[in-house]
Amino acid sequence: MKAWAVLAFAGLAAALVAAADPRAQLAEARQQAEAARTRSAQLDAQSRAAIDEAEKARAAQAAVAARIQASEADIAAAEARLAILKSLQRAQEQRLAARQQPIVKLVAALQTMARRPAGAALVQPGTLTDLVHVRALLSTMAPRLATATAGLREEVMRAQALRKAADAAVAQLREGQRQGRVERQRLVQLEMEQRRRSAQMAAASQLEAQRAASLAESANNLEELVARLGAEGSVRDRLASLPGPLPRPQHLSETLPAVTAPPAAERLVYRLPVLGSVVRGFGEALPAGGRARGVTIAARPGAIVVAPAKGRVTFAGLYRGYGAIAIVEHDDGYTSLVIGLASNSARVGDTVDAGSPLGRAGPDGVTVELRQRGQSVDLVTLIG
């Protein structure tokens, strides 16, 4: 197996481990937050450098979506950190209780002896040897008591430090939530501006949306819908690639321009459309039988879902039995199917970049499938 495929499989395995280990969750969330911020900075630079207004707008939207994912990762990191701190606090409370118990008993006994009147010692039965033994016992216990109470003070200080760390984690959680709300409002503004700019293309977009809805109604199942949309996309691509009419030469002796071959298709660079832990990989057994044709991610409900690669939205909306879905066509016959959305933000006919928002995650996770000319593809081998 190639090295990049091994790394991709290792990443999925790490995600599965992270689902059960808060420390792994914390490490994964921090890594995702850093990667999202890096993507956001790159997309911001791409947006500033773009000359075409449509390309500038897509890059800006993708940059904001990356910042939203960074805030979602910050929230996940804060929650994982809180889970770790609560576990440490429980263990520390148990140690504190174990140390407190013998000291409390000893202090209670000494308090009882101290409350007895001094005259009682004269009438108490016993010998001078007993008094010497008691004196020696108290002399021995004093250093041990001092050592034990010092350890107890250290445990109390650890408890205070853990409480401060928990307060800091809660503050980080609230800041992530606040930042997420700010960026979501910014994304809504960008989407509204994009809709206003593309108002002149609304008629063509509406016609294509109606065509996609008609196909969804007539298709017997989701597989047939994807296949029919792919067939229409292939026809559209072939028509777009046809050369235009050549100018009529003034003299028949003029040489006709040479026909250049189309550029070779670049390797599709892919990414997972939502942050979260992978709970089912490509080819794994399904509860109802058969094998998974994609990857299922346990995403946070309401998390932003983005386009896994550059392409064109050919379907966006509700489909029977699946809730809201999105279908994105890419170059070289690739098609992505994103299932498990709570809502769609992209529309039919939209051109999207990798990272452009598609919608919001539903409560049952997000599944993404990749196909090339109708054949299922293990998207892990394309993740870059």
Side-chain angles (χ1 to χ4, degrees):
M1 183 179 293
K2 295 183 179 180
W4 48 263
V6 173
L7 291 176
F9 280 117
L12 291 183
L16 290 172
V17 172
D21 183 5
R23 295 182 186 276
Q25 284 180 340
L26 177 60
E28 181 187 16
R30 286 175 172 172
Q31 183 180 6
Q32 289 175 342
E34 184 63 27
R37 290 189 177 91
T38 301
R39 288 197 305 272
S40 176
Q42 293 172 346
L43 289 165
D44 278 331
Q46 180 180 335
S47 176
R48 289 191 297 269
I51 299 176
D52 181 71
E53 288 298 325
E55 182 181 353
K56 183 185 290 290
R58 289 197 302 270
Q61 288 182 353
V64 175
R67 288 197 290 273
I68 293 175
Q69 288 190 323
S71 66
E72 291 172 350
D74 286 338
I75 292 172
E79 290 176 345
R81 189 181 175 199
L82 276 174
I84 294 171
L85 290 172
K86 287 180 180 179
S87 176
L88 292 175
Q89 282 180 323
R90 286 193 296 269
Q92 195 273 341
E93 288 171 357
Q94 293 174 356
R95 291 196 307 271
L96 188 59
R99 287 198 170 193
Q100 280 179 329
Q101 187 175 5
I103 296 176
V104 169
K105 290 181 178 179
L106 178 58
V107 171
L110 293 175
Q111 288 178 342
T112 301
M113 294 178 61
R115 285 196 296 267
R116 296 184 63 184
L122 299 175
V123 298
Q124 181 179 3
T127 62
L128 185 60
T129 305
D130 295 332
L131 293 176
V132 173
H133 287 166
V134 171
R135 177 73 178 181
L137 177 63
L138 292 176
S139 300
T140 304
M141 289 299 299
R144 295 182 59 186
L145 183 61
T147 303
T149 52
L152 190 60
R153 284 193 296 271
E154 291 178 0
E155 292 291 347
V156 172
M157 292 177 65
R158 290 193 188 98
Q160 293 174 348
L162 287 174
R163 280 195 293 270
K164 289 181 180 179
D167 292 341
V170 171
Q172 181 187 7
L173 177 62
R174 291 174 179 171
E175 174 60 21
Q177 293 170 340
R178 186 198 67 81
Q179 190 64 32
R181 289 193 295 268
V182 171
E183 296 297 344
R184 286 188 180 93
Q185 292 174 357
R186 174 61 179 158
L187 182 59
V188 170
Q189 293 174 354
L190 289 175
E191 289 175 346
M192 291 176 62
E193 293 172 2
Q194 175 67 13
R195 298 305 173 198
R196 284 196 295 268
R197 281 193 296 266
S198 60
Q200 63 274 17
M201 301 177 62
S205 178
Q206 185 177 5
L207 182 62
E208 187 173 356
Q210 292 174 351
R211 175 61 179 164
S214 176
L215 286 177
E217 288 292 333
S218 60
N220 294 322
N221 50 49
L222 187 57
E223 304 298 325
E224 183 177 340
L225 173 62
V226 174
R228 294 175 68 175
L229 287 171
E232 289 201 352
S234 299
V235 173
R236 183 173 57 248
D237 292 341
R238 287 198 299 271
L239 291 175
S241 64
L242 292 176
L246 297 175
R248 187 173 184 271
Q250 295 180 358
H251 304 286
L252 295 178
S253 59
E254 290 184 5
T255 304
L256 293 176
V259 179
T260 59
E266 297 181 359
R267 177 178 176 270
L268 183 68
V269 178
Y270 213 75
R271 53 166 298 184
L272 293 180
V274 68
L275 297 185
S277 299
V278 176
V279 295
R280 182 178 294 116
F282 180 84
E284 292 187 11
L286 296 172
R291 297 287 175 177
R293 302 182 65 176
V295 171
T296 300
I297 306 158
R300 182 187 302 273
I304 189 167
V305 181
V306 300
K310 183 177 181 179
R312 187 172 182 275
V313 179
T314 58
F315 187 86
L318 298 175
Y319 188 77
R320 51 183 182 270
Y322 291 92
I325 67 172
I327 300 176
V328 183
E329 284 186 355
H330 314 291
D331 291 337
D332 200 23
Y334 283 103
T335 301
S336 291
L337 172 61
V338 183
I339 305 171
L341 303 179
S343 61
N344 296 87
S345 57
R347 299 181 181 179
V348 174
D350 285 353
T351 298
V352 293
D353 291 335
S356 296
L358 293 179
R360 300 287 178 186
D364 301 323
V366 174
T367 298
V368 55
E369 300 180 7
L370 178 65
R371 300 172 190 179
Q372 186 178 31
R373 300 181 181 89
Q375 299 298 318
S376 297
V377 177
D378 187 358
L379 58 87
V380 172
T381 61
L382 297 175
I383 292 178

